[in-house]
Amino acid sequence: MLLRVRVTLPDRPGTLGQVARTMGVSGADIVQVVVLERLGGRAVDDFTVVWPGAARVERLLAGLAAIPGVRVDGVWRAIGAPTTTGQDAELLAQVAANPADGVATLVDAVPGLLAADWAVAAVVPLDWATRAGGGQPTIGQASWRAPVPPPLPEVTPLRARAVGTPDGGHFAVAPFGRAGLVLVVAREHTEPLAAPAFHGTEVDRLAQLVRASAVILGDRLDLVGVPPVVAGP
C-alpha cells in the first residue's frame, strides 16, 4: 500500500540519508520526498512510500525514533499517486473548461492533492456572525469518499486554517469569499495509523486553489447548495 510519512528532522547533512536508509531497511520503498518547511535548523518532510501490506508499521516508527533528533509527526494512507508539479494549474484549467461542474471538480480533486480522505463544499448561513455557534452549515457538494453525513468541524469564522477535533480528526478549511461557501478537507484517524494535522503550506495551497476557483466561477458559486427547480407536468 501507499503511505505518507511526515518526519521532522535536523536540517543538517546526513540526517536525511539516515532517514532514507532506515525506511529502506524497514521495507519501505521511497517514491517521493516533499519538503514542507525549513526553519530554525529543522525541516519537515513528507515521504511517500510503498509499504508491504503484511508488514507492521511499528517497525518503521521504531527505526525512525532511534535516529537522534528525528520525530515522526504522522503516518497515513495515501490516496492516489504522489503529487507532481503542475497539478494545481491543471485542476484550475479543468474548472475553467467546465464551470458548470467547477465546484464538484474541485471537491473531488483536492483530497488527492493534499493526501486527504475526503472533502465537501459547505454552505454557511449568511447571518452566521449573529447566530450562536455560527450557524449549522449545509452540504453543497461532497467528494465520493465523504461519509454521510460528514462530521464537520466548526468552520466559522470564515478564514483559511487547520482545525483539529477531539477524536483525532484533522481538517483544513478555506472560504470562497462568496455565498457563505467554504471548502473543508479531512484526514481521518484510523488505527493503527495516525495522520498529522494539515501543515501551513498545505492550508496555503488549499486557500490559493479556492481563491482562484472563486475568480473563475464567479456568480456560479451562488447556486451551490440551491435545490434544482423541477418543472411541472
Side-chain angles (χ1 to χ4, degrees):
M1 60 181 172
L2 205 61
L3 292 180
R4 289 284 179 91
V5 185
R6 180 164 299 173
V7 178
T8 297
L9 65 158
D11 189 14
R12 60 173 180 258
T15 305
L16 182 59
Q18 284 183 279
V19 170
R21 285 193 297 273
T22 299
M23 287 187 173
V25 170
S26 299
D29 181 14
I30 299 173
V31 296
Q32 187 184 59
V33 182
V34 175
V35 179
L36 296 178
E37 177 184 300
R38 277 199 173 101
L39 184 65
R42 304 281 290 174
V44 180
D45 294 351
D46 268 3
F47 294 81
T48 303
V49 304
V50 177
W51 182 253
R56 293 178 61 85
V57 176
E58 289 81 357
R59 178 185 177 190
L60 172 62
L61 300 181
L64 293 173
I67 304 174
V70 170
R71 183 184 74 236
V72 178
D73 296 330
V75 180
W76 72 110
R77 188 184 295 270
I79 306 299
T83 58
T84 58
T85 57
Q87 285 186 323
D88 291 11
E90 181 180 347
L91 172 57
L92 293 174
Q94 293 175 4
V95 171
N98 186 13
D101 294 326
V103 173
T105 299
L106 183 67
V107 167
D108 282 336
V110 160
L113 296 182
L114 296 181
D117 293 295
W118 51 268
V120 298
V123 183
V124 177
L126 294 180
D127 60 347
W128 62 266
T130 62
R131 295 192 183 199
Q136 186 64 32
T138 58
I139 304 303
Q141 190 72 46
S143 65
W144 70 277
R145 290 175 58 89
V148 180
L152 296 183
E154 179 56 61
V155 299
T156 56
L158 295 179
R159 56 181 174 82
R161 66 191 190 281
V163 181
T165 56
D167 62 356
H170 296 291
F171 298 85
V173 299
F176 285 81
R178 188 184 185 109
L181 192 63
V182 58
L183 190 60
V184 182
V185 188
R187 284 182 186 143
E188 297 178 333
H189 179 75
T190 54
E191 296 287 353
L193 305 180
F198 285 89
H199 191 270
T201 58
E202 295 175 308
V203 175
D204 290 344
R205 184 183 184 189
L206 177 66
Q208 290 170 7
L209 283 170
V210 168
R211 286 196 299 266
S213 298
V215 172
I216 294 170
L217 298 175
D219 293 346
R220 291 182 181 271
L221 295 178
D222 297 336
L223 303 177
V224 177
V226 176
V229 177
V230 180

